[in-house]
Amino acid sequence: MRQAEPKIVVSGVRKSFQISGDAAAVTPALDGIDLTIADGEFVSLLGPSGCGKTTLLRIIAGLTAADDGTVEVNGTPVDGPGRDRAMVFQAFGLLPWRTVAQNVAFPLKIRKLSGTEIDERTDRYLRLVNLERFKDRYPHQLSGGMQQRVGLARALAVDPEVLLMDEPFGAIDAQQRELMQEELLRIWAATGKTIVLVTHDLDEAVYLSDRVVLLSPHPGRVRTVVDVGLPQPRWEYDARSHERFVEVRREIWSVLRKDVLDVVEREAAEIEDRTGERH
């Protein structure tokens, strides 16, 4: 793990949601999350469905408020979205009537940057994601992987200190997903951003991260934090065949497997209960 000052500090975060149709009932999503992420670190949040990964990411982004606890970025409490953070979602979220360049430039215009700076940033980040040749194309003319790169360029163009990514490669095929993972590592190396990634993919988490934070489900708690320790840069060798990759993957899966099985059993029991009530 990189030795650096804390960038994100999560302390005692709890969050519950009201159950639909029952004003008095709530379901806990997160329970006492403590986590410190260093400046320039790449951390993945991993765990089975229902462990609160996306909820935690949205709380860090300032899109969802915690019930208890605090989140600080650079020592400043998070009380809403901020310019120091940018979010990349699984859905591409591109404006179909705007060109690639116009999509990247859109948030810069909202921030009222000068035309010269908008053009410079747009060109810089399209080059970074290897899309400068397609700046005048429209989203429907691009592949899924290319559309996701436009979304990434748009997030980077606002120059956030923290990049928050929620299953960003979930909507693209397996081959493009591996290429995008490699591209993300190159971008991270070039920009030094702090990155927090939510993923269901164990291999993706190990390949990309400095550390993997494994959350337990119902409610989400930090079960374990694993230092990956794979040599960098990982795109220059077959990282997935490295003995450390295999070791870390085995270590995490030995814990994660039981949680996944518990979730499957819980879901099956809930279905049986509902079916029994109907009869």
Side-chain angles (χ1 to χ4, degrees):
M1 188 186 74
R2 300 179 179 192
Q3 298 299 314
E5 293 298 316
K7 173 64 72 174
I8 303 168
V9 179
V10 180
S11 302
V13 163
R14 290 179 170 81
K15 181 67 181 178
S16 296
F17 293 100
Q18 184 176 322
I19 297 175
S20 178
D22 188 346
V26 296
T27 181
L30 297 171
D31 183 22
I33 299 293
D34 295 314
L35 179 65
T36 299
I37 298 172
D39 187 20
E41 189 178 14
F42 196 130
V43 169
S44 287
L45 306 178
L46 181 70
S49 298
C51 71
K53 300 184 296 294
T54 294
T55 299
L56 178 56
L57 196 74
R58 290 179 62 86
I59 289 172
I60 295 172
L63 300 175
T64 299
D67 296 334
D68 293 296
T70 61
V71 176
E72 295 183 351
V73 176
N74 292 324
T76 300
V78 170
D79 57 7
R83 294 190 176 188
D84 52 359
R85 287 152 284 140
M87 191 97 162
V88 179
F89 299 93
Q90 179 174 340
F92 305 133
L94 303 181
L95 303 175
W97 59 89
R98 293 180 182 268
T99 66
V100 165
Q102 290 168 344
N103 267 281
V104 175
F106 182 68
L108 305 179
K109 290 184 176 180
I110 291 176
R111 295 188 177 188
K112 301 186 184 303
L113 273 65
S114 70
T116 299
E117 188 169 3
I118 289 173
D119 290 344
E120 191 276 331
R121 286 201 193 186
T122 298
D123 290 344
R124 183 199 318 166
Y125 287 104
L126 285 177
R127 285 195 303 272
L128 190 64
V129 299
N130 296 314
L131 286 177
E132 65 271 23
R133 291 178 297 159
F134 301 94
K135 62 186 297 182
D136 296 322
R137 303 286 181 90
Y138 288 88
H140 74 274
Q141 297 174 304
L142 306 179
S143 69
M146 294 168 76
Q147 290 182 46
Q148 191 59 277
R149 280 192 277 163
V150 176
L152 182 56
R154 182 176 57 189
L156 290 167
V158 300
D159 197 24
E161 298 178 41
V162 177
L163 191 61
L164 304 168
M165 310 185 77
D166 188 7
E167 292 279 0
F169 310 137
I172 57 179
D173 65 55
Q175 290 79 23
Q176 289 197 59
R177 185 177 184 125
E178 289 204 14
L179 291 175
M180 282 299 301
Q181 290 167 359
E182 181 178 311
E183 193 71 30
L184 180 58
L185 283 178
R186 292 176 185 273
I187 290 169
W188 176 50
T191 62
K193 303 293 185 188
T194 303
I195 299 179
V196 185
L197 171 76
V198 162
T199 181
H200 283 89
D201 188 325
L202 172 55
D203 286 3
E204 179 171 84
V206 176
Y207 177 64
L208 292 174
S209 309
D210 285 324
R211 291 187 297 156
V212 177
V213 178
L214 183 59
L215 299 179
S216 61
H218 305 296
R221 299 184 178 96
V222 176
R223 183 178 292 285
T224 188
V225 180
V226 179
D227 292 325
V228 175
L230 277 169
Q232 298 281 6
R234 294 175 189 170
W235 62 84
E236 291 188 349
Y237 66 100
D238 185 6
R240 292 174 177 83
S241 296
H242 194 281
E243 61 181 4
R244 179 59 183 167
F245 183 98
V246 175
E247 178 186 351
V248 170
R249 190 189 189 284
R250 184 185 301 115
E251 177 184 350
I252 296 173
W253 180 239
S254 68
V255 180
L256 179 60
R257 182 178 184 276
K258 182 180 184 301
D259 282 343
V260 172
L261 289 173
D262 287 346
V263 168
V264 170
E265 287 297 322
R266 183 179 295 109
E267 290 174 345
E270 289 172 353
I271 291 171
E272 288 175 349
D273 289 345
R274 289 197 299 270
T275 304
E277 289 172 1
R278 292 193 188 100
H279 293 290

